[in-house]
mmCIF file of all heavy atoms in Angstrom:
data_model
loop_
_atom_site.group_PDB
_atom_site.id
_atom_site.type_symbol
_atom_site.label_atom_id
_atom_site.label_comp_id
_atom_site.label_asym_id
_atom_site.label_seq_id
_atom_site.Cartn_x
_atom_site.Cartn_y
_atom_site.Cartn_z
ATOM 1 N N ALA A 39 7.653 -1.276 10.606
ATOM 2 C CA ALA A 39 7.837 -2.677 10.208
ATOM 3 C C ALA A 39 8.245 -3.521 11.412
ATOM 4 O O ALA A 39 7.761 -4.648 11.597
ATOM 5 C CB ALA A 39 8.886 -2.774 9.104
ATOM 6 N N HIS A 40 9.136 -2.979 12.223
ATOM 7 C CA HIS A 40 9.610 -3.686 13.422
ATOM 8 C C HIS A 40 8.465 -3.984 14.393
ATOM 9 O O HIS A 40 8.411 -5.064 14.990
ATOM 10 C CB HIS A 40 10.685 -2.841 14.110
ATOM 11 C CG HIS A 40 11.078 -3.326 15.468
ATOM 12 N ND1 HIS A 40 11.700 -4.546 15.680
ATOM 13 C CD2 HIS A 40 10.933 -2.763 16.708
ATOM 14 C CE1 HIS A 40 11.917 -4.708 16.972
ATOM 15 N NE2 HIS A 40 11.461 -3.639 17.609
ATOM 16 N N LYS A 41 7.538 -3.048 14.541
ATOM 17 C CA LYS A 41 6.420 -3.226 15.481
ATOM 18 C C LYS A 41 5.339 -4.145 14.924
ATOM 19 O O LYS A 41 4.453 -4.574 15.653
ATOM 20 C CB LYS A 41 5.801 -1.863 15.821
ATOM 21 C CG LYS A 41 6.715 -0.961 16.643
ATOM 22 C CD LYS A 41 6.006 0.288 17.129
ATOM 23 C CE LYS A 41 5.555 1.176 16.005
ATOM 24 N NZ LYS A 41 5.011 2.468 16.481
ATOM 25 N N SER A 42 5.412 -4.451 13.637
ATOM 26 C CA SER A 42 4.388 -5.276 12.988
ATOM 27 C C SER A 42 4.827 -6.740 12.954
ATOM 28 O O SER A 42 5.860 -7.108 13.499
ATOM 29 C CB SER A 42 4.165 -4.783 11.557
ATOM 30 O OG SER A 42 5.259 -5.149 10.738
ATOM 31 N N GLU A 43 4.032 -7.543 12.258
ATOM 32 C CA GLU A 43 4.358 -8.968 12.118
ATOM 33 C C GLU A 43 5.131 -9.241 10.820
ATOM 34 O O GLU A 43 5.375 -10.395 10.471
ATOM 35 C CB GLU A 43 3.073 -9.794 12.145
ATOM 36 C CG GLU A 43 2.339 -9.718 13.487
ATOM 37 C CD GLU A 43 1.063 -10.523 13.492
ATOM 38 O OE1 GLU A 43 0.716 -11.117 12.445
ATOM 39 O OE2 GLU A 43 0.386 -10.552 14.536
ATOM 40 N N TRP A 44 5.508 -8.190 10.111
ATOM 41 C CA TRP A 44 6.285 -8.373 8.889
ATOM 42 C C TRP A 44 7.732 -8.732 9.254
ATOM 43 O O TRP A 44 8.242 -8.299 10.279
ATOM 44 C CB TRP A 44 6.251 -7.110 8.045
ATOM 45 C CG TRP A 44 4.893 -6.784 7.490
ATOM 46 C CD1 TRP A 44 3.765 -6.519 8.200
ATOM 47 C CD2 TRP A 44 4.522 -6.670 6.113
ATOM 48 N NE1 TRP A 44 2.718 -6.250 7.355
ATOM 49 C CE2 TRP A 44 3.153 -6.341 6.077
ATOM 50 C CE3 TRP A 44 5.232 -6.797 4.921
ATOM 51 C CZ2 TRP A 44 2.476 -6.146 4.867
ATOM 52 C CZ3 TRP A 44 4.546 -6.604 3.723
ATOM 53 C CH2 TRP A 44 3.188 -6.281 3.699
ATOM 54 N N GLU A 45 8.379 -9.488 8.382
ATOM 55 C CA GLU A 45 9.730 -9.973 8.658
ATOM 56 C C GLU A 45 10.794 -9.096 8.011
ATOM 57 O O GLU A 45 10.839 -8.957 6.788
ATOM 58 C CB GLU A 45 9.877 -11.411 8.152
ATOM 59 C CG GLU A 45 11.246 -12.018 8.416
ATOM 60 C CD GLU A 45 11.410 -13.396 7.795
ATOM 61 O OE1 GLU A 45 10.418 -13.967 7.314
ATOM 62 O OE2 GLU A 45 12.561 -13.892 7.795
ATOM 63 N N ILE A 46 11.635 -8.495 8.825
ATOM 64 C CA ILE A 46 12.788 -7.744 8.324
ATOM 65 C C ILE A 46 13.935 -8.729 8.132
ATOM 66 O O ILE A 46 14.358 -9.389 9.078
ATOM 67 C CB ILE A 46 13.192 -6.627 9.308
ATOM 68 C CG1 ILE A 46 12.071 -5.579 9.416
ATOM 69 C CG2 ILE A 46 14.495 -5.969 8.872
ATOM 70 C CD1 ILE A 46 12.325 -4.500 10.448
ATOM 71 N N VAL A 47 14.427 -8.828 6.898
ATOM 72 C CA VAL A 47 15.471 -9.833 6.615
ATOM 73 C C VAL A 47 16.866 -9.213 6.559
ATOM 74 O O VAL A 47 17.867 -9.931 6.611
ATOM 75 C CB VAL A 47 15.171 -10.590 5.300
ATOM 76 C CG1 VAL A 47 13.879 -11.382 5.432
ATOM 77 C CG2 VAL A 47 15.091 -9.639 4.110
ATOM 78 N N ALA A 48 16.944 -7.881 6.463
ATOM 79 C CA ALA A 48 18.252 -7.216 6.477
ATOM 80 C C ALA A 48 18.066 -5.768 6.896
ATOM 81 O O ALA A 48 17.154 -5.096 6.420
ATOM 82 C CB ALA A 48 18.910 -7.277 5.106
ATOM 83 N N LEU A 49 18.926 -5.318 7.786
ATOM 84 C CA LEU A 49 18.939 -3.914 8.208
ATOM 85 C C LEU A 49 20.256 -3.320 7.728
ATOM 86 O O LEU A 49 21.332 -3.832 8.043
ATOM 87 C CB LEU A 49 18.817 -3.812 9.723
ATOM 88 C CG LEU A 49 18.561 -2.420 10.302
ATOM 89 C CD1 LEU A 49 17.196 -1.908 9.855
ATOM 90 C CD2 LEU A 49 18.621 -2.468 11.822
ATOM 91 N N ILE A 50 20.166 -2.260 6.934
ATOM 92 C CA ILE A 50 21.329 -1.689 6.271
ATOM 93 C C ILE A 50 21.518 -0.259 6.766
ATOM 94 O O ILE A 50 20.568 0.528 6.770
ATOM 95 C CB ILE A 50 21.114 -1.697 4.739
ATOM 96 C CG1 ILE A 50 20.731 -3.104 4.256
ATOM 97 C CG2 ILE A 50 22.353 -1.206 4.016
ATOM 98 C CD1 ILE A 50 19.943 -3.125 2.965
ATOM 99 N N HIS A 51 22.723 0.080 7.199
ATOM 100 C CA HIS A 51 22.931 1.427 7.740
ATOM 101 C C HIS A 51 24.328 1.941 7.420
ATOM 102 O O HIS A 51 25.277 1.162 7.215
ATOM 103 C CB HIS A 51 22.704 1.431 9.258
ATOM 104 C CG HIS A 51 23.783 0.717 10.021
ATOM 105 N ND1 HIS A 51 24.762 1.369 10.714
ATOM 106 C CD2 HIS A 51 24.040 -0.616 10.168
ATOM 107 C CE1 HIS A 51 25.564 0.480 11.270
ATOM 108 N NE2 HIS A 51 25.153 -0.724 10.958
ATOM 109 N N GLU A 52 24.453 3.241 7.397
ATOM 110 C CA GLU A 52 25.766 3.853 7.272
ATOM 111 C C GLU A 52 26.438 3.854 8.642
ATOM 112 O O GLU A 52 25.770 3.790 9.678
ATOM 113 C CB GLU A 52 25.635 5.276 6.727
ATOM 114 C CG GLU A 52 25.154 5.323 5.287
ATOM 115 C CD GLU A 52 25.045 6.735 4.754
ATOM 116 O OE1 GLU A 52 25.851 7.589 5.167
ATOM 117 O OE2 GLU A 52 24.139 6.994 3.939
ATOM 118 N N GLU A 53 27.756 3.927 8.642
ATOM 119 C CA GLU A 53 28.543 3.740 9.871
ATOM 120 C C GLU A 53 28.174 4.734 10.971
ATOM 121 O O GLU A 53 28.154 4.393 12.150
ATOM 122 C CB GLU A 53 30.031 3.861 9.539
ATOM 123 C CG GLU A 53 30.937 3.468 10.694
ATOM 124 C CD GLU A 53 32.401 3.465 10.282
ATOM 125 O OE1 GLU A 53 32.751 4.139 9.286
ATOM 126 O OE2 GLU A 53 33.199 2.787 10.955
ATOM 127 N N HIS A 54 27.839 5.964 10.603
ATOM 128 C CA HIS A 54 27.568 6.985 11.610
ATOM 129 C C HIS A 54 26.166 6.910 12.196
ATOM 130 O O HIS A 54 25.834 7.640 13.127
ATOM 131 C CB HIS A 54 27.777 8.383 11.005
ATOM 132 C CG HIS A 54 26.790 8.714 9.913
ATOM 133 N ND1 HIS A 54 26.972 8.289 8.616
ATOM 134 C CD2 HIS A 54 25.629 9.402 9.936
ATOM 135 C CE1 HIS A 54 25.959 8.723 7.880
ATOM 136 N NE2 HIS A 54 25.135 9.396 8.643
ATOM 137 N N ILE A 55 25.313 6.021 11.661
ATOM 138 C CA ILE A 55 23.932 5.908 12.132
ATOM 139 C C ILE A 55 23.870 4.988 13.344
ATOM 140 O O ILE A 55 24.308 3.834 13.294
ATOM 141 C CB ILE A 55 23.012 5.370 11.021
ATOM 142 C CG1 ILE A 55 22.984 6.332 9.834
ATOM 143 C CG2 ILE A 55 21.610 5.128 11.553
ATOM 144 C CD1 ILE A 55 22.404 7.692 10.139
ATOM 145 N N GLU A 56 23.323 5.498 14.428
ATOM 146 C CA GLU A 56 23.188 4.706 15.644
ATOM 147 C C GLU A 56 21.941 3.830 15.553
ATOM 148 O O GLU A 56 20.856 4.313 15.221
ATOM 149 C CB GLU A 56 23.080 5.633 16.860
ATOM 150 C CG GLU A 56 23.108 4.901 18.194
ATOM 151 C CD GLU A 56 23.120 5.847 19.374
ATOM 152 O OE1 GLU A 56 23.466 7.036 19.195
ATOM 153 O OE2 GLU A 56 22.762 5.391 20.474
ATOM 154 N N ILE A 57 22.097 2.566 15.839
ATOM 155 C CA ILE A 57 21.000 1.602 15.738
ATOM 156 C C ILE A 57 20.416 1.333 17.123
ATOM 157 O O ILE A 57 21.153 1.033 18.067
ATOM 158 C CB ILE A 57 21.482 0.262 15.114
ATOM 159 C CG1 ILE A 57 22.141 0.516 13.757
ATOM 160 C CG2 ILE A 57 20.329 -0.720 14.975
ATOM 161 C CD1 ILE A 57 21.243 1.145 12.725
ATOM 162 N N GLU A 58 19.097 1.444 17.236
ATOM 163 C CA GLU A 58 18.435 1.151 18.509
ATOM 164 C C GLU A 58 18.650 -0.319 18.880
ATOM 165 O O GLU A 58 18.697 -1.200 18.016
ATOM 166 C CB GLU A 58 16.938 1.433 18.411
ATOM 167 C CG GLU A 58 16.591 2.897 18.289
ATOM 168 C CD GLU A 58 15.092 3.124 18.317
ATOM 169 O OE1 GLU A 58 14.373 2.211 18.779
ATOM 170 O OE2 GLU A 58 14.647 4.195 17.894
ATOM 171 N N LYS A 59 18.728 -0.579 20.168
ATOM 172 C CA LYS A 59 18.973 -1.943 20.644
ATOM 173 C C LYS A 59 17.919 -2.919 20.152
ATOM 174 O O LYS A 59 18.223 -4.077 19.847
ATOM 175 C CB LYS A 59 19.025 -1.954 22.169
ATOM 176 C CG LYS A 59 20.280 -1.311 22.753
ATOM 177 C CD LYS A 59 20.298 -1.427 24.272
ATOM 178 C CE LYS A 59 21.568 -0.802 24.856
ATOM 179 N NZ LYS A 59 21.597 -0.887 26.332
ATOM 180 N N SER A 60 16.669 -2.467 20.065
ATOM 181 C CA SER A 60 15.584 -3.365 19.655
ATOM 182 C C SER A 60 15.751 -3.862 18.219
ATOM 183 O O SER A 60 15.175 -4.888 17.838
ATOM 184 C CB SER A 60 14.234 -2.661 19.794
ATOM 185 O OG SER A 60 14.173 -1.534 18.937
ATOM 186 N N LEU A 61 16.548 -3.133 17.412
ATOM 187 C CA LEU A 61 16.736 -3.515 16.012
ATOM 188 C C LEU A 61 17.958 -4.401 15.793
ATOM 189 O O LEU A 61 18.175 -4.897 14.688
ATOM 190 C CB LEU A 61 16.862 -2.257 15.140
ATOM 191 C CG LEU A 61 15.655 -1.311 15.121
ATOM 192 C CD1 LEU A 61 15.974 -0.084 14.279
ATOM 193 C CD2 LEU A 61 14.407 -2.012 14.592
ATOM 194 N N LEU A 62 18.742 -4.611 16.843
ATOM 195 C CA LEU A 62 19.970 -5.393 16.695
ATOM 196 C C LEU A 62 19.710 -6.881 16.499
ATOM 197 O O LEU A 62 20.635 -7.652 16.222
ATOM 198 C CB LEU A 62 20.874 -5.180 17.917
ATOM 199 C CG LEU A 62 21.407 -3.748 18.091
ATOM 200 C CD1 LEU A 62 22.217 -3.641 19.383
ATOM 201 C CD2 LEU A 62 22.237 -3.319 16.886
ATOM 202 N N GLN A 63 18.446 -7.287 16.634
ATOM 203 C CA GLN A 63 18.086 -8.700 16.422
ATOM 204 C C GLN A 63 18.128 -9.084 14.939
ATOM 205 O O GLN A 63 18.132 -10.275 14.606
ATOM 206 C CB GLN A 63 16.676 -8.957 16.961
ATOM 207 C CG GLN A 63 15.597 -8.153 16.255
ATOM 208 C CD GLN A 63 14.228 -8.319 16.871
ATOM 209 O OE1 GLN A 63 13.566 -9.337 16.680
ATOM 210 N NE2 GLN A 63 13.804 -7.334 17.651
ATOM 211 N N TYR A 64 18.148 -8.095 14.048
ATOM 212 C CA TYR A 64 18.096 -8.384 12.614
ATOM 213 C C TYR A 64 19.506 -8.463 12.021
ATOM 214 O O TYR A 64 20.438 -7.846 12.543
ATOM 215 C CB TYR A 64 17.291 -7.296 11.893
ATOM 216 C CG TYR A 64 15.895 -7.126 12.430
ATOM 217 C CD1 TYR A 64 15.511 -5.944 13.066
ATOM 218 C CD2 TYR A 64 14.957 -8.155 12.327
ATOM 219 C CE1 TYR A 64 14.229 -5.785 13.571
ATOM 220 C CE2 TYR A 64 13.676 -8.007 12.833
ATOM 221 C CZ TYR A 64 13.319 -6.817 13.458
ATOM 222 O OH TYR A 64 12.055 -6.675 13.968
ATOM 223 N N PRO A 65 19.664 -9.215 10.920
ATOM 224 C CA PRO A 65 20.947 -9.233 10.228
ATOM 225 C C PRO A 65 21.350 -7.800 9.847
ATOM 226 O O PRO A 65 20.584 -7.089 9.202
ATOM 227 C CB PRO A 65 20.668 -10.088 8.985
ATOM 228 C CG PRO A 65 19.526 -10.963 9.391
ATOM 229 C CD PRO A 65 18.678 -10.133 10.296
ATOM 230 N N LEU A 66 22.537 -7.394 10.259
ATOM 231 C CA LEU A 66 22.942 -5.997 10.175
ATOM 232 C C LEU A 66 24.092 -5.843 9.176
ATOM 233 O O LEU A 66 25.059 -6.600 9.217
ATOM 234 C CB LEU A 66 23.387 -5.527 11.566
ATOM 235 C CG LEU A 66 23.413 -4.036 11.868
ATOM 236 C CD1 LEU A 66 22.034 -3.424 11.727
ATOM 237 C CD2 LEU A 66 23.943 -3.816 13.290
ATOM 238 N N TYR A 67 23.950 -4.858 8.284
ATOM 239 C CA TYR A 67 24.984 -4.605 7.287
ATOM 240 C C TYR A 67 25.356 -3.123 7.326
ATOM 241 O O TYR A 67 24.485 -2.253 7.216
ATOM 242 C CB TYR A 67 24.488 -4.968 5.881
ATOM 243 C CG TYR A 67 24.104 -6.422 5.744
ATOM 244 C CD1 TYR A 67 22.800 -6.850 6.046
ATOM 245 C CD2 TYR A 67 25.035 -7.378 5.344
ATOM 246 C CE1 TYR A 67 22.446 -8.181 5.937
ATOM 247 C CE2 TYR A 67 24.691 -8.718 5.230
ATOM 248 C CZ TYR A 67 23.388 -9.112 5.537
ATOM 249 O OH TYR A 67 23.044 -10.440 5.427
#
Side-chain angles (χ1 to χ4, degrees):
H40 170 65
K41 292 188 297 187
S42 73
E43 295 179 358
W44 293 61
E45 181 185 350
I46 295 175
V47 296
L49 191 65
I50 307 155
H51 71 104
E52 292 181 33
E53 189 174 22
H54 65 277
I55 298 296
E56 187 175 341
I57 305 299
E58 291 185 19
K59 288 183 179 179
S60 62
L61 299 177
L62 295 176
Q63 62 185 284
Y64 303 115
L66 200 61
Y67 300 88

